Structure formats: structure tokens, C-alpha cells
Amino acid sequence: MPKKLEHIGIAVADLEASEKLFKKILGVDSYKREEVESEGVMTSFFLLGDVKIELLAATKPDSPIAKYIEKRGEGIHHLAFESENIEKELKEKESQGFPLINSEPKDGADNKSIAFLHPKSTNSVLIELCQDKF
Ligand code: ZN
């Protein structure tokens, strides 16, 4: 089972404007930007307590984030729960009947292995499992 909420992913159209906005809301600066080229996304991370906010902006028009914003507009994109053993956890979730978007973990931002459960079985909430890479 996951240990804790690690971060909340938010889809944004204009990364720079949203960084300024979240700095106003949270009172802290983004501590890093990181591109995930394979996903066509630029991320920007804020840390508040021990939960992070991950802003996600598309770097190309066919990026999943661009498509998401086109369909649903900006807003909460996913919840990411930290796992101690992501491979095992994915197998467990699959055997519990959850359809997976990723049956194998892939590389995400912030030095993490990540995988998504399909939102059709999770009250339309996109759920990411993540684990620090060693
Ligand atoms: Zn994430």
C-alpha cells in the first residue's frame, strides 16, 4: 500500500505565470524545473511541508498535457502516492482489478519511477504511484 501523498500534479497552460501564482499562494519559490522529454512536459516543483506541488506544462502540441488542457482545461491532473515497492504495488493493484496505464514503471521527473492507474476505475482521479530511484 502507498505510504503517503507525495505530490499533486496540476496541468497549467503558462508555466511562468503559474509559478508566480503559486509563489503568491504558497509563499515559497519553485525549487526546480525539470523537463520530461518523453512526455513532452516541463515540470516545476514546489515543496510545502512534506507534500509537493508539481506544475505540468506542455512543451509540444501533441503532449498528453496539451491534450488534457484542450479537453478539460487547466487544473488538478493527478495525485501521486509514494510506494516502497512500485513493481509489487502495480502487480497488487492489477490483481485487485485496477486497469493500469503503465504495467511497468517508467522514468518520471524528480528522480522517480512512476506508473499510472487508469482513472476509469478510480472515480476519474488519475493516480500516480511513484518511488525514488536508487
Ligand atoms: Zn506526478
Side-chain angles (χ1 to χ4, degrees):
M1 290 292 139
K3 290 196 296 190
K4 63 162 197 170
L5 179 65
E6 213 278 336
H7 64 268
I8 298 170
I10 300 177
V12 304
D14 179 338
L15 192 59
E16 208 153 307
S18 295
E19 282 174 330
K20 286 188 187 137
L21 175 68
F22 276 84
K23 184 187 174 165
K24 260 191 213 163
I25 296 167
L26 303 175
V28 292
D29 275 309
S30 161
Y31 66 91
K32 74 166 163 183
R33 270 189 186 191
E34 188 180 334
E35 186 172 5
V36 184
E37 227 182 309
S38 57
E39 298 291 310
V41 67
M42 180 64 83
T43 65
S44 179
F45 284 91
F46 291 78
L47 181 63
L48 195 71
D50 65 352
V51 176
K52 296 167 191 162
I53 302 290
E54 176 187 37
L55 302 182
L56 304 150
T59 55
K60 51 185 186 184
D62 63 340
S63 151
I65 290 296
K67 288 179 188 158
Y68 180 91
I69 290 175
E70 230 169 75
K71 260 203 239 165
R72 304 203 196 186
E74 297 177 290
I76 294 183
H77 179 260
H78 64 271
L79 301 181
F81 295 100
E82 189 171 300
S83 175
E84 280 174 324
N85 184 337
I86 192 169
E87 274 97 356
K88 188 171 158 227
E89 185 123 2
L90 280 174
K91 287 197 181 86
E92 276 170 12
K93 291 290 177 272
E94 197 167 32
S95 71
Q96 289 172 303
F98 289 98
L100 308 177
I101 293 178
N102 311 106
S103 52
E104 297 288 329
K106 59 179 184 174
D107 289 347
D110 203 28
N111 193 42
K112 286 190 164 38
S113 294
I114 67 168
F116 289 97
L117 308 184
H118 200 288
K120 71 185 175 189
S121 65
T122 55
N123 284 158
S124 301
V125 177
L126 180 59
I127 292 180
E128 174 189 321
L129 300 173
C130 64
Q131 181 180 19
D132 282 329
K133 285 192 284 189
F134 301 107

